[in-house]
Amino acid sequence: MKHTKPKRRDPFEMLEDGIQSGWQTLDTIPLKGEGEFLVLTVSGLIRLARNGKSERKPRRADAYGPERMTVNSVKTGNYLGAMAWRWP
């Protein structure tokens, strides 16, 4: 039996779908000390995070993915590449 080749994850498409379903852009992401929030990562995961920076300075979009910003995971403390955010 032949299987179809799985579709690759497209971060640009994930971001577009996220914005249409209520996620907010990085222009309004909470800054350091403003609390915890959910982020949509470049890898397609949704994680609880907090911002460790006191200013918004996202990385420009490129072939790897759309505009993104580094935030810290609440659970593990690891860095996450956030594309969009919303309150939990």
Side-chain angles (χ1 to χ4, degrees), residues 26-31 34 51 53-58 69:
L26 297 178
D27 302 338
T28 58
I29 195 166
L31 298 174
E34 293 183 2
N51 199 346
K53 299 177 183 176
S54 55
E55 63 181 42
R56 293 177 186 97
K57 189 177 176 187
M69 186 171 168

Side-chain angles (χ1 to χ4, degrees), residues 37-63:
F37 47 91
L38 293 172
V39 293
L40 175 63
T41 66
V42 177
S43 60
L45 302 173
I46 297 174
R47 295 283 185 252
L48 189 62
R50 70 173 64 107
N51 199 346
K53 299 177 183 176
S54 55
E55 63 181 42
R56 293 177 186 97
K57 189 177 176 187
R59 183 176 174 183
R60 284 189 252 154
D62 55 15

